[in-house]
Amino acid sequence: MVREISYAEALNEALREEMEQDDRVIVFGEDVGVFGGVYKVTKGLLEKFGPERVRDTPISEAAIVGAAIGAALAGLRPVAEIMYMDFITIAMDQLVTHAAKIRFMSGGQVCLPMVIRTQYSLGRVHGCQHSQFLASWFLNVPGLKVVLPGTPKDAKGLLKSAIRGNDPVLFVESGVLYSWKGPVPEDEYLITIGQADIKRKGSDLTIVAFSRTVREALAAADRLSAEGIDAEVVDLMTLNPLDVKTLVGSVKKTNRLLVADDSTKTGGISAEIISRIVEEAFDYLDAPPVRVNSPDLPVPFAQPLENQYLVNADKICEAARRMVH
């Protein structure tokens, strides 16, 4: 059976199902218990599983990630929440220097089954200190998986896989997607981490997207189709590990690459993706790859300015037309 539920409800189901199946799964973070999470992703978990497994924490991101590391080392499977991705900067030492390194430093003897959930609020008028999309920073952290679901179905399947895995996962959600509804199977399913998904097949160009930009890329592809441009949309879903095989296969078919990326342009995720394609499929390109990014600026607070800042379907269509014509 498939029904339509929201991105936030899909995440809630993933947490509830994994907690039901494995009593080592615990949840903690700011306001995740009594309040059910600022975005209601953890709604009802405290009532069902009790305060031993669902805990509110003080406002201390370093302590939250540090506690997750300790819990995982003690045999639990913690899912910790950092309310805004901006605040993960405070926990970088715990996440980057310690969590990502423990398997390597122990010679593979110690694994760290922990998930850090966070969200970025780009598109929600939350200002420059609550809207940053910082995922590209973590491409440079060996040992840390980085997952960014773009649909309710993917959000549930990927979170369940992340919880069952034995390595640390940074699970980045898009705040603007929490209320977006989509089809989600009722039956048990998992989605493999590290495998991209071709959301729409096409032949004229490849549009690579992830998280919030998946929706924009699909909308752009529909508009382009009406103009006679057949775009293929590849949803990466995971940034680390990166599914280079699927990317290369798509570009070999369409011969053009456009990346829709919420990162700021300099040092963004799009730069890494284009580098991989140039290394492995340069001879198949009929046009220079194009990236549609956020500008190299802090996110504006005023809504009209934030609307101009955002990667959207209009900008993707404009870039695609330039590539094809």
Side-chain angles (χ1 to χ4, degrees):
M1 287 288 292
V2 176
R3 69 265 141 89
E4 289 212 346
I5 61 174
S6 72
Y7 188 92
E9 290 169 334
L11 290 164
N12 180 272
E13 280 194 356
L15 290 168
R16 179 165 45 80
E17 289 178 8
E18 292 308 301
M19 294 181 79
E20 287 171 345
Q21 292 186 24
D22 188 343
D23 59 13
R24 296 173 299 171
V25 179
I26 60 172
V27 171
F28 55 88
E30 298 163 21
D31 291 330
V32 302
V34 174
F35 197 60
V38 171
Y39 302 105
K40 302 306 177 188
V41 172
T42 53
K43 182 180 179 182
L45 298 183
L46 174 63
E47 291 79 359
K48 183 172 180 60
F49 298 103
E52 290 295 314
R53 297 181 64 192
V54 182
R55 296 192 181 194
D56 288 320
T57 67
I59 302 175
S60 176
E61 286 75 16
I64 292 169
V65 177
I69 294 171
L73 289 172
L76 299 174
R77 289 184 172 268
V79 182
E81 179 178 309
I82 301 293
M83 192 182 294
Y84 284 85
M85 192 174 198
D86 311 72
F87 306 156
I88 211 161
T89 56
I90 300 165
M92 288 292 274
D93 179 56
Q94 293 291 346
L95 191 59
V96 173
T97 309
H98 301 288
K101 306 293 189 295
I102 286 175
R103 179 184 283 277
F104 298 93
M105 293 174 67
S106 67
Q109 298 181 75
V110 177
C111 61
L112 205 66
M114 58 177 271
V115 179
I116 303 297
R117 289 184 44 248
T118 190
Q119 66 85 35
Y120 71 109
S121 279
L122 189 60
R124 307 189 78 198
V125 200
H126 282 189
C128 65
Q129 295 172 314
H130 296 78
S131 303
Q132 295 178 93
F133 180 62
L134 306 174
S136 64
W137 294 5
F138 299 96
L139 291 180
N140 206 19
V141 183
L144 182 66
K145 294 181 178 177
V146 183
V147 179
L148 297 97
T151 69
K153 177 185 175 183
D154 298 340
K156 180 176 179 180
L158 287 167
L159 182 55
K160 288 170 70 71
S161 293
I163 293 170
R164 295 187 192 186
N166 288 324
D167 290 301
V169 175
L170 178 62
F171 196 89
V172 183
E173 299 155 14
S174 167
V176 81
L177 295 182
Y178 279 137
S179 60
W180 183 26
K181 290 190 174 183
V184 177
E186 286 190 24
D187 299 332
E188 167 81 3
Y189 71 99
L190 299 172
I191 294 178
T192 303
I193 290 175
Q195 187 172 313
D197 182 40
I198 298 177
K199 288 283 192 292
R200 186 185 193 283
K201 292 187 177 180
S203 59
D204 292 334
L205 81 156
T206 296
I207 301 176
V208 175
F210 37 89
S211 190
R212 191 193 67 86
T213 63
V214 172
R215 189 167 60 171
E216 300 297 327
L218 290 170
D222 286 343
R223 290 192 217 169
L224 293 167
S225 178
E227 301 172 20
I229 300 172
D230 190 18
E232 179 153 296
V233 177
V234 178
D235 179 0
L236 287 179
M237 299 201 293
T238 304
L239 295 183
N240 194 5
L242 188 64
D243 184 359
V244 177
K245 182 180 179 181
T246 297
L247 288 174
V248 169
S250 180
V251 171
K252 284 184 175 180
K253 182 175 69 170
T254 67
N255 310 117
R256 291 176 175 83
L257 171 64
L258 185 157
V259 185
D261 176 10
D262 271 333
S263 307
T264 53
K265 190 168 188 176
T266 303
I269 296 162
S270 55
E272 176 63 25
I273 293 168
I274 289 173
S275 295
R276 296 292 187 98
I277 293 300
V278 168
E279 285 176 344
E280 301 197 27
F282 181 78
D283 290 342
Y284 292 88
L285 291 170
D286 287 344
V290 169
R291 43 184 167 160
V292 180
N293 287 84
S294 298
D296 289 338
L297 293 167
V299 182
F301 180 69
Q303 188 164 24
L305 293 178
E306 189 184 46
N307 289 342
Q308 292 185 42
Y309 181 96
L310 289 172
V311 173
N312 58 31
D314 289 340
K315 294 178 181 178
I316 296 170
C317 284
E318 184 182 348
R321 292 185 194 109
R322 288 200 306 270
M323 295 180 73
V324 174
H325 296 307

